[in-house]
Amino acid sequence: SGVGGGGGAIEFQAVILAGGHGNRMFPLPERTPKCLLPVGNRPLISYQLAMLERAGLRDCIVITTQHCSQQVNTYLAEKYEGKLNCSMHVVDDYTGTADALRSVADKIVTDFIVVSSDVLSNIELLYMADTHRMHDSVATVLLANSTLTTAVPAKKGKGGKNKKAAAAKLDAKKQSLPECNFIGLEQDTNRVVLYKSKADIEDTFCVGKWLLGTFPRMTLHSRLEDAHVYIFAHWVATVIKEDKTLSSIQNDLIPHLVEAQFKESRLKVDGDQPKPSKMAMLMKTQSMVDMNKGAGTDGEITHRDDKKGFIVRKKFVQAGALQMSSVPPSTSDPINCMALVLEDGVESGDGKGGSFCMRVNTVPAYKRANREVASLKDSEGKAFVTTGYRVSGAPSTGGSSSSSSRPQKLSFTIGKDCVVGEGVQIGKKTNIKKSVVGKYCKIGEKCRITNCVLMDHVTVEGMVTLSDTVVCSNANIQQMSSLDNCEVGCNFTIESKTKAKKEQFSTENFMDVTEK
């Protein structure tokens, strides 16, 4: 079953935040908005749309900003081929994520899912929705483990050259890791009891005695990344609407909701007569409104929203779930914030591969996403992208053809883990490994391309070596050049015999790396 409801009813609404400038990804978003940057030759936003569609949702609000609204609208109206009915809402540039939700608060009438447009994941939202339903959660947060990988061992030999290379690779991996926060989770339930931003902590970090006494089995995590996938109770939209100080979901709203769980309990411990918080009163009022709407025969509460033209259905399954459980509820608090944690190597529940989740918001993350997407599969075992090279009228060399078909012998070499778009021309004796090549690219003879991303209409002349490099659309790499760990902007021409390492090439001015 999905999370969208059935029979003309909805249980969850969906919101995609697609307004980021992608300043930390310069020069990639010069001509293309971050949400439309190609990952595996698919626009990044297409992965979130597919995630929502797999969950059974039918409608989606896409919030974008002025600077990219035209391109996003063109994609949704003319190129998106999915089943979701997408409505676009435009806000000012550099609007905070919570501020963006405030602008559509009047359109939210039930619990709602919020997904950032830079998330790449094969997680099924059904698992997250189950956590949200079971605990009648105010906020359910998706957290992904971002532990450091071990260093690459150096080969035996004289000198320290190999050791230095291994150390350099490890440093690069460290730089590509996200800036994680301090998150305290109750061990048995994954209830979020502490959420502190590392940016707000200078030298020391103190955990209060009351919190430690109340949750002695709390685990404090420093390597869990907020994946920017959330499910909120519908009345949280009213909280955002009324409290103008909440600008960011991650930095303001989530800490605010986590802190609100215990405000009344702390007053009781201190001996003061607790006054119901505004949030608790709002939650109680919304619950009474739901009760007055009428309960269905299957444990659901439904009501028709004449203005929106559909039936809102919310499943109150907590009581039934607790009856089947031998473990009593761990809390009687009226506000619960929960987390679904994706650990390294955790199976997605279907035996077809581990769960994967990352944010594509930096250049190293973008490169990694294009490497990983070739092996990603959804819960049904369907690959996210088609790998290998497809000769016109022939099966793909990536292994998707039948065993009886003999692949055509090529004058060049392409790895099976490559993603290659249509209309690509490749010269003789060229070798391409672990790379993504966009549509209608022209690659000359005797080139070596490894761990690279070439967007559409890129020209690479003969005897060029590219390693760990991103080349944006319509760029031209002239002959006998060598680029290592570089980024080349749109329409830029690299002159012949250029040798460069860790450089950025762009026709535009350098962008401010700060991002709201």
Side-chain angles (χ1 to χ4, degrees):
S1 63
V3 300
I10 66 167
E11 183 185 357
F12 293 99
Q13 292 175 267
V15 178
I16 293 181
L17 302 175
H21 279 251
N23 292 343
R24 287 175 288 178
M25 303 180 71
F26 179 84
L28 277 58
E30 283 179 329
R31 306 292 175 86
T32 303
K34 181 176 72 169
C35 64
L36 296 180
L37 286 174
V39 173
N41 285 339
R42 285 177 51 183
L44 186 52
I45 195 174
S46 70
Y47 293 97
Q48 299 95 50
L49 292 168
M51 177 195 297
L52 296 173
E53 191 174 328
R54 291 196 306 270
L57 290 156
R58 299 193 303 271
D59 300 288
C60 176
I61 301 172
V62 178
I63 304 178
T64 188
T65 50
Q66 295 285 352
H67 86 283
C68 60
S69 60
Q70 184 175 354
Q71 289 175 274
V72 173
N73 183 62
T74 299
Y75 171 75
L76 294 175
E78 301 177 7
K79 299 179 181 180
Y80 171 61
E81 299 178 351
K83 299 178 181 179
L84 280 176
N85 178 27
C86 298
S87 59
M88 197 175 76
H89 183 83
V90 182
V91 297
D92 294 334
D93 290 346
Y94 295 105
T95 298
T97 50
D99 294 325
L101 287 180
R102 185 178 298 112
S103 68
V104 297
D106 292 336
K107 299 181 180 181
I108 295 174
V109 295
T110 185
D111 289 10
F112 58 104
I113 300 169
V114 179
V115 183
S116 174
S117 64
D118 59 13
V119 174
L120 178 64
S121 177
N122 61 356
I123 184 67
E124 297 300 329
L125 289 175
L126 176 62
Y127 304 133
M128 195 169 173
D130 285 344
T131 299
H132 186 78
R133 293 163 175 155
M134 174 65 188
H135 299 276
D136 199 17
S137 179
V138 167
T140 303
V141 185
L142 181 65
L143 302 175
N145 198 321
S146 59
T147 53
L148 284 172
T149 53
T150 55
V152 179
K155 295 181 180 179
K156 293 181 179 180
K158 296 181 180 180
K161 186 175 180 180
N162 290 325
K163 291 182 179 180
K164 290 181 179 179
K169 288 182 179 180
L170 182 59
D171 289 339
K173 290 180 180 180
K174 288 181 179 180
Q175 292 175 4
S176 67
L177 289 172
E179 180 71 22
C180 299
N181 298 319
F182 287 109
I183 302 174
L185 300 180
E186 190 179 20
Q187 284 189 9
D188 297 331
T189 63
N190 273 349
R191 184 184 185 189
V192 184
V193 297
L194 180 68
Y195 195 104
K196 290 287 186 181
S197 172
K198 283 186 178 179
D200 297 334
I201 301 171
E202 296 182 357
D203 297 323
T204 59
F205 172 56
C206 299
V207 179
K209 183 189 300 183
W210 181 91
L211 190 64
L212 292 174
T214 306
F215 299 99
R217 291 175 57 81
M218 178 190 74
T219 301
L220 187 61
H221 298 268
S222 62
R223 290 180 178 176
L224 287 180
E225 179 189 10
D226 186 332
H228 284 220
V229 180
Y230 312 96
I231 301 181
F232 293 109
H234 61 289
W235 55 267
V236 173
T238 305
V239 173
I240 298 172
K241 185 177 180 181
E242 294 184 354
D243 191 345
K244 301 297 193 298
T245 64
L246 302 175
S247 180
S248 165
I249 294 177
Q250 180 181 15
N251 297 328
D252 299 324
L253 180 59
I254 297 299
H256 180 66
L257 295 175
V258 170
E259 183 72 17
Q261 296 178 103
F262 315 117
K263 283 186 177 179
E264 294 182 20
S265 298
R266 290 179 181 177
L267 287 174
K268 292 178 182 179
V269 171
D270 294 338
D272 297 333
Q273 182 64 29
K275 295 180 180 181
S277 65
K278 187 174 182 180
M279 189 177 298
M281 293 176 66
L282 176 59
M283 185 183 69
K284 183 177 180 180
T285 301
Q286 293 288 345
S287 299
M288 292 177 66
V289 170
D290 287 336
M291 293 295 291
N292 291 331
K293 299 293 183 181
T297 57
D298 56 354
E300 297 177 341
I301 292 179
T302 63
H303 72 276
R304 180 176 297 279
D305 190 304
D306 296 328
K307 293 182 179 180
K308 305 298 180 183
F310 49 66
I311 298 173
V312 176
R313 172 181 294 170
K314 180 171 182 178
K315 296 183 178 180
F316 287 84
V317 298
Q318 185 184 31
L322 291 175
Q323 289 177 0
M324 296 183 291
S325 175
S326 60
V327 181
S330 60
T331 177
S332 58
D333 293 322
I335 300 176
N336 290 319
C337 295
M338 306 302 299
L340 178 65
V341 181
L342 299 182
E343 299 286 350
D344 291 337
V346 170
E347 293 293 314
S348 57
D350 47 40
K352 296 178 182 178
S355 296
F356 177 85
C357 184
M358 68 173 293
R359 292 192 65 204
V360 187
N361 57 353
T362 63
V363 172
Y366 180 77
K367 293 177 181 178
R368 180 192 168 200
N370 278 278
R371 289 195 301 267
E372 299 284 354
V373 73
S375 60
L376 284 186
K377 297 181 180 180
D378 60 23
S379 61
E380 297 178 354
K382 183 180 178 181
F384 277 21
V385 296
T386 301
T387 57
Y389 175 75
R390 185 177 297 277
V391 181
S392 179
S396 169
T397 62
S400 59
S401 60
S402 61
S403 58
S404 60
S405 301
R406 298 185 61 183
Q408 180 177 338
K409 188 174 181 180
L410 304 174
S411 60
F412 48 85
T413 303
I414 294 185
K416 293 182 178 180
D417 51 0
C418 291
V419 180
V420 183
E422 64 177 325
V424 174
Q425 301 177 22
I426 304 175
K428 296 179 181 179
K429 297 184 180 180
T430 285
N431 192 331
I432 304 176
K433 297 180 180 179
K434 299 179 180 179
S435 298
V436 175
V437 182
K439 295 186 294 184
Y440 304 108
C441 290
K442 297 180 180 179
I443 303 175
E445 297 182 355
K446 299 181 180 179
C447 294
R448 299 291 181 267
I449 300 175
T450 306
N451 286 328
C452 293
V453 180
L454 308 184
M455 299 186 190
D456 297 343
H457 300 281
V458 168
T459 299
V460 179
E461 298 182 3
M463 302 180 69
V464 167
T465 300
L466 301 177
S467 177
D468 199 28
T469 292
V470 180
V471 184
C472 296
S473 299
N474 299 299
N476 184 7
I477 314 297
Q478 294 184 351
Q479 61 183 353
M480 301 179 68
S481 295
S482 177
L483 303 181
D484 181 15
N485 196 13
C486 295
E487 293 84 50
V488 182
C490 294
N491 302 310
F492 194 90
T493 297
I494 300 292
E495 296 182 357
S496 61
K497 299 183 180 181
T498 297
K499 310 293 182 183
K501 184 174 183 179
K502 295 182 179 180
E503 291 190 32
Q504 294 176 328
F505 302 90
S506 172
T507 58
E508 304 289 337
N509 293 327
F510 190 81
M511 300 169 65
D512 185 4
V513 296
T514 60
E515 184 172 16
K516 190 170 181 177

